[in-house]
Amino acid sequence: MRRMHTPPTVIELRRYLLHPGRRDDLVTLFEREFIETQEALGLQVLGIFREPAAPDQFAWLRGFAGMAERLRGLQAFYGGPVWQQHRNEANATMIDSDNVLLLRPVTPWPEAHAASPDGHWHALIVPLARPLDDAARDTLRRRPGLWLDSEPSENDFPRLPVRSGSWVLALDTTPPELTPDLQAFRAGPIERLDLTPTRRSRMR
Amino acid sequence: MSTAHDFDFFHGRWTVSHRRLAQRLANSTDWATFSGTCETWPLLAGAGNVDDNVLEAPAGTYRAATFRSWNPTRRTWQIWWLDGRYPDAVGDPMVGRFEGGVGTFFCDEVFEGRPIKVRFIWSRTDTPSPRWEQAFSADGGVTWETNWEMDFTRRA
């Protein structure tokens, strides 16, 4: 079935800390119950990953056409029968689900991605002292890989918290480089993630 | 929309982080933190539930229980708290419902000889770490002072 692609203008990076040994359970449940049911409500499951270096970490990217579509979709999903049926099983695998960044793509999000030659995606997460300015965003547009910065809107679905502050996320099939001008905006230690896609992840 | 399944998220066993004001409605900023455990299970084929708590409070560990029942006509929950140190006193129920994922419940009480309103809020119920908080109002609900917070983490 050909999927209609509405490019996401709002993207969440959601990183869950799980109870020891429970990651495969969550991946199985997620891939069985939460992909098509979210997509049907406009919640785009852009990528699903394990962190091979951290056995209790699970990460996924969720995209939205915009903030209004995000609010409608989240209300429909989390107020709906699929979540009611599976929420306890899902939440029982997790210690923490608050590590969420609310972002927007600096470079337009592609409809499809070239598969990673070695099956790994790499993320660079940079905490910022202040939001990027247009000049800094322009510089990132010319860089290889996918770059995102913080979505400026408030999280209007407080049932699911997001982290405060300003952030930059880079994603690529090789470890992204920190640009010199991003150093001027930096407010703390960068984080590098090595990610392996799950079987049904759109990003492979 | 509130339903009889509103507290299904809470079934099971939990570790609790408590944060409690030493004195209520006294402009106190003196918070005590302590731990506890909680176990919740359904009753009445799911239209009710009960939880059993151990509270490792600074003044001494004690036990307490909650009883909740769903009224399908009024579409409200009724919530009673039984403090094991005062085993005869169940009191009037907190009454309320869930909206937008947040549960809010109210009751009129008497505290230190004056009438107050009591409010419970249940939040973060879609996360692995739900939260309960209690507040008192001495001015009929215009202003509220939160005096107790519980953060729940699921135990295996």
Side-chain angles (χ1 to χ4, degrees):
Chain A
M1 184 186 80
R2 176 165 159 65
R3 191 190 297 118
M4 290 293 300
H5 176 70
T6 311
T9 68
V10 178
I11 293 175
E12 290 170 348
L13 172 65
R14 306 186 65 81
R15 299 172 60 198
Y16 298 163
L17 174 64
L18 307 179
H19 288 288
R22 300 303 311 277
R23 185 165 63 189
D24 285 351
D25 295 336
L26 178 61
V27 170
T28 301
L29 174 67
F30 192 103
E31 294 196 323
R32 196 183 70 228
E33 304 290 353
F34 295 150
I35 297 178
E36 286 83 355
T37 53
Q38 291 195 79
E39 297 269 348
L41 298 172
L43 308 175
Q44 304 175 31
V45 182
L46 302 176
I48 314 169
F49 305 96
R50 293 180 172 86
E51 285 185 49
D56 302 328
Q57 287 288 148
F58 169 81
W60 61 295
L61 290 157
R62 178 162 60 188
F64 316 86
M67 284 300 287
E69 291 85 349
R70 173 177 179 268
L71 181 61
R72 270 202 304 276
L74 293 179
Q75 286 171 338
F77 183 73
Y78 291 99
V82 172
W83 183 246
Q84 291 314 306
Q85 190 182 350
H86 298 290
R87 77 202 286 204
N88 281 4
E89 190 184 346
N91 282 329
T93 66
M94 303 177 203
I95 293 174
D96 181 89
S97 66
D98 288 358
N99 190 353
V100 175
L101 302 182
L102 186 63
L103 305 164
R104 60 180 176 179
V106 173
T107 47
W109 197 261
E111 182 166 358
H113 305 268
S116 170
D118 68 353
H120 287 246
W121 280 82
H122 297 266
L124 171 71
I125 300 172
V126 187
L128 306 182
R130 56 199 168 94
L132 292 182
D133 58 21
D134 288 339
R137 298 181 90 231
D138 274 339
T139 308
L140 295 182
R141 276 189 191 98
R142 291 190 280 276
R143 304 286 299 169
L146 302 164
W147 290 82
L148 304 91
D149 72 337
S150 283
E151 162 59 45
S153 311
E154 282 283 309
N155 175 25
D156 53 2
F157 194 72
R159 277 166 77 169
L160 295 182
V162 305
R163 293 178 72 176
S164 60
S166 299
W167 300 87
V168 159
L169 169 67
L171 290 158
D172 204 350
T173 53
T174 59
E177 300 284 321
L178 189 66
T179 65
D181 64 326
L182 263 189
Q183 292 280 11
F185 287 83
R186 238 178 94 172
I190 65 174
E191 242 187 307
R192 292 189 173 277
L193 306 182
D194 173 24
L195 303 168
T196 52
T198 65
R199 191 181 56 85
R200 296 197 65 198
S201 174
R202 266 201 246 168
M203 292 169 70
R204 304 222 48 76
Chain B
M1 197 185 71
S2 213
T3 72
H5 296 284
D6 287 337
F7 281 100
D8 285 6
F9 75 90
F10 198 48
H11 297 166
R13 303 168 68 218
W14 303 87
T15 305
V16 191
S17 290
H18 293 268
R19 208 170 152 260
R20 199 160 65 180
L21 255 188
Q23 292 174 288
R24 298 159 175 185
L25 297 177
N27 291 311
S28 169
T29 54
D30 185 13
W31 290 88
T33 58
F34 55 94
S35 298
T37 61
C38 179
E39 183 170 1
T40 305
W41 62 97
L43 305 171
L44 307 172
N49 56 81
V50 62
D51 68 46
D52 196 10
N53 289 268
V54 177
L55 300 95
E56 293 154 15
T61 296
Y62 69 101
R63 292 176 176 270
T66 312
F67 181 71
R68 301 181 185 88
S69 76
W70 169 251
N71 183 321
T73 311
R74 295 172 62 205
R75 309 197 70 78
T76 55
W77 286 93
Q78 283 63 234
I79 303 177
W80 292 266
W81 173 257
L82 176 63
D83 182 328
R85 299 169 299 180
Y86 313 104
D88 304 325
V90 176
D92 294 331
M94 303 291 293
V95 182
R97 60 170 65 90
F98 277 79
E99 246 159 83
V102 174
T104 312
F105 309 88
F106 295 96
C107 178
D108 293 330
E109 266 291 351
V110 176
F111 177 69
E112 293 179 348
R114 48 183 166 152
I116 60 163
K117 287 195 179 297
V118 182
R119 183 186 70 191
F120 289 176
I121 295 178
W122 274 99
S123 62
R124 300 171 49 89
T125 61
D126 287 310
T127 74
S129 37
R131 170 174 295 162
W132 170 92
E133 53 192 278
Q134 172 179 278
F136 287 179
S137 173
D139 57 12
V142 177
T143 63
W144 294 91
E145 179 193 73
T146 298
N147 59 54
W148 198 351
E149 296 166 350
M150 298 185 193
D151 284 298
F152 296 87
T153 308
R154 203 176 272 281
R155 289 155 66 203

